[in-house]
């Protein structure tokens, strides 16, 4: 191989490593900004993470190859440039791509998918019941038909492919009767917020419905007609943990997700909406959502 060919190969490695460096720093800077704004659940960000990892891999490998090849050829100016790139690589990775960025993004995506499932389940329940949402009855006494109060989460089971579990639960017994207690730890996975898996028991959920005047569910009684509701009205939020079968577990206090200041809500039109502003269940009736 002639000196000219060897020099051209070093120049090619130099171009590859430089392009990889620029692409990686641009992508990771974008990710850093989006991570700080709480928008990491966006599908575009998931793609950007994948592209950033690919660009960083190309950059890191080509910079190392350039370093050793230039060292072997005693091209000291390229050795210095490759060493500089390697230092930038190490510093840039620690600064722009925190170790927990990808897992946090994955959990946000999973969390939003769960809320989306609950949105569709509520709408499908309503479509099968002449537009009526499931009841939100509390207390310990049965109604005139001998049916005890049960959580809305129990009533939507047939609409999330859990019809078998629904048929085993006895609605003519309290939710915590001896028979029904055996199902407390058989909670479907989509009721468990991914951010809280390590701190919740097998029977606990943090997803609840928002209740009260002007909301989709009353304090006590039948759910409202879905046609009466504003499309962007929030009806699902995260709250303090409780048993998924407990009819008394609903959203009394809106809770933030993990360390994020962003609060996510499932809405009547099945969209996921969010806000970083302090919000109470009462404020959700008139809130103007962020874009």
């Amino acid at each position: 191989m002639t000196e000219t060919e060897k020099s051209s190969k070093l120049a090619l490695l130099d171009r590859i490593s430089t392009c990889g460096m620029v692409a990686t720093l641009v992508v990771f800077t974008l990710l850093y900004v989006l991570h700080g704004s709480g928008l990491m659940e966006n599908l575009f960000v998931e793609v950007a993470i994948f592209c950033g990892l690919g660009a960083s891999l190309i950059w890191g490998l080509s910079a190392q190859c350039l370093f050793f090849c230039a060292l072997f050829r005693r091209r000291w100016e390229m050795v210095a440039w490759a060493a500089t790139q390697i230092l930038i690589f190490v510093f840039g990775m620690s600064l722009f791509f925190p170790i927990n960025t990808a897992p946090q993004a994955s959990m946000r995506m999973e969390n939003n998918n769960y809320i989306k499932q609950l949105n569709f389940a509520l709408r499908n329940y309503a479509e099968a019941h002449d537009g009526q949402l499931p009841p939100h009855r509390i207390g310990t006494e049965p109604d005139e038909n001998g049916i005890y109060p049960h959580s809305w989460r129990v009533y939507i089971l047939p609409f999330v492919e859990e019809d078998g579990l629904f048929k085993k639960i006895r609605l003519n017994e309290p939710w915590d009767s001896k028979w029904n207690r055996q199902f407390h730890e058989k909670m479907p996975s989509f009721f468990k917020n991914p951010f809280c898996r390590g701190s919740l028991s097998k029977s606990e959920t943090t997803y609840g419905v928002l209740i009260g005047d002007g909301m989709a569910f009353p304090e006590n009684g039948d759910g409202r007609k879905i046609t009466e509701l504003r499309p962007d009205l929030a009806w699902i939020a995260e709250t303090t943990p409780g048993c998924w079968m407990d009819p008394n577990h609903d959203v009394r206090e809106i809770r933030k997700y993990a360390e994020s200041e962003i609060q996510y809500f499932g809405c009547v039109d099945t969209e996921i909406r969010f806000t970083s502003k302090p919000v109470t269940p009462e404020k959700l009736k008139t809130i103007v959502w962020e874009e």
Side-chain angles (χ1 to χ4, degrees), residues 85-102:
Q85 286 194 57
I86 292 171
L87 289 175
I88 295 173
F89 177 85
V90 174
F91 178 74
M93 293 303 97
S94 63
L95 179 64
F96 294 119
F97 197 63
I99 293 176
N100 68 341
T101 297

Side-chain angles (χ1 to χ4, degrees), residues 213-246:
D213 295 336
M215 307 305 291
F217 295 86
E219 289 278 353
N220 192 3
D222 291 333
R224 292 176 62 187
K225 288 272 190 178
I226 202 167
T227 53
E228 301 172 356
L229 304 176
R230 199 176 76 238
D232 66 342
L233 179 67
W235 56 8
I236 294 173
E238 188 189 22
T239 187
T240 51
C243 179
W244 74 282
M245 291 180 66
D246 185 355

Side-chain angles (χ1 to χ4, degrees), residues 45-190:
V45 177
E46 297 293 315
V47 175
I49 290 174
F50 179 79
C51 293
L53 287 173
S56 65
L57 181 62
I58 294 172
W59 175 26
L61 291 175
S62 59
Q64 291 181 60
C65 289
L66 178 63
F67 177 83
F68 288 111
C69 290
L71 184 63
F72 180 75
R73 298 298 305 160
R74 297 184 179 181
R75 296 288 297 276
W76 305 118
E77 73 283 358
M78 283 194 172
V79 170
W81 173 230
T84 301
Q85 286 194 57
I86 292 171
L87 289 175
I88 295 173
F89 177 85
V90 174
F91 178 74
M93 293 303 97
S94 63
L95 179 64
F96 294 119
F97 197 63
I99 293 176
N100 68 341
T101 297
Q104 286 290 320
S106 177
M107 284 191 288
R108 284 191 175 93
M109 181 71 77
E110 187 177 5
N111 167 68
N112 282 7
N113 285 339
Y114 288 170
I115 296 177
K116 200 86 169 178
Q117 279 185 268
L118 298 178
N119 281 342
F120 278 110
L122 286 173
R123 289 196 67 92
N124 290 338
Y125 178 97
E127 288 179 7
H129 293 82
D130 195 28
Q132 191 87 43
L133 288 168
H136 181 268
R137 290 185 58 229
I138 58 176
T140 58
E141 297 300 320
D143 62 15
E144 64 277 6
N145 298 313
I147 302 299
Y148 282 82
H150 282 266
S151 172
W152 62 276
R153 289 174 287 261
V154 171
Y155 285 104
I156 67 170
L157 287 176
F159 303 93
V160 286
E161 299 181 355
E162 291 286 351
D163 191 52
L165 177 58
F166 177 74
K167 289 177 178 177
K168 294 176 184 177
I169 296 172
R170 294 177 179 174
L171 300 180
N172 60 348
E173 294 183 12
W175 69 276
D176 57 351
S177 68
K178 182 178 179 180
W179 173 264
N180 285 331
R181 279 199 300 271
Q182 67 180 303
F183 305 113
H184 287 188
E185 294 191 355
K186 298 186 182 298
M187 180 179 73
S189 60
F190 50 81

